[in-house]
Structure formats: structure tokens, C-alpha cells
Amino acid sequence: QVQLVESGGGSVQAGGSLRLSCAASGRTFSSYAMGWFRQAPGKEREFVGAISGSGGSTFYADSVKGRLTISRDNAKNTVYLQMNSLKPEDTGVYYCAARFLGTRYYASANEYDYWGQGTQVTVSS
């Protein structure tokens, strides 16, 4: 089992940047494909991006391509979400998720086994 803890959320103005981190417990972090999702008030949770266990493959939602970048450091058991050129519509609670023995990236929430508690991102216009 793995525990996930997100950090790095906050409030920024449109056009600004934030870097989210998701620290995982355990010793087999590279065995987990990781994903980022977000949920805005009154809306369903939506996919943001994902990365394979090795970090060699990434996939993004169209709404964030070119602005958000996922990376991971398996030596530190951490996955990152670098968010640039933020827009008010990026506001929401951001969650990281892990799928054990994930050999590629996964874009559906029901494909993930573990979830963090979330971190709030607020982008003002």
C-alpha cells in the first residue's frame, strides 16, 4: 500500500506559476504510474495529466497541454506538477493518484488504486 501527500498549492494571479508535489510512501515508487486530477467547486473530478512508472511517458488533458508539466523523481518518491500560465479555470483541488504496476499512463480515475488528500489551487483574474 502507498500513502500520497500533496503540497505546494496556493493562491496566484492569472499568468502565474505553481509547482505541486506529491510525496509517496513505500520503496517501490517506480512500480506506480501516477496521475494528477482536479476538482472545481460544483464539478466532477477531471483528469489533468499522467506519467508512467519510469517517467518515460506522459499524457495531458487538452486543456492543460503546453502549460502544465508532470515529472517524477523516483529516488525521492515524488511526482511533480509544474503549472505555468495559470488561468482562473485552473482553480480547484488537485489530487495525485497512484496505480500499482502501471506500465504506461492512465487517464481515468477508476484506473487508480490510491489517492492523496488534495491541495487547493486558486487562480484569480
Side-chain angles (χ1 to χ4, degrees), residues 16-72:
S17 298
L18 282 174
R19 187 195 197 201
L20 306 185
S21 299
C22 173
S25 64
R27 292 176 286 182
T28 59
F29 183 61
S30 61
S31 298
Y32 291 85
M34 302 296 294
W36 284 96
F37 292 77
R38 67 188 181 190
Q39 188 166 18
K43 296 187 177 181
E44 293 187 353
R45 191 171 299 188
E46 66 171 353
F47 171 75
V48 173
I51 188 167
S52 61
S54 68
S57 297
T58 55
F59 181 70
Y60 300 93
D62 288 343
S63 60
V64 306
K65 280 181 182 177
R67 300 187 299 116
L68 276 57
T69 304
I70 294 176
S71 61
R72 66 190 296 161

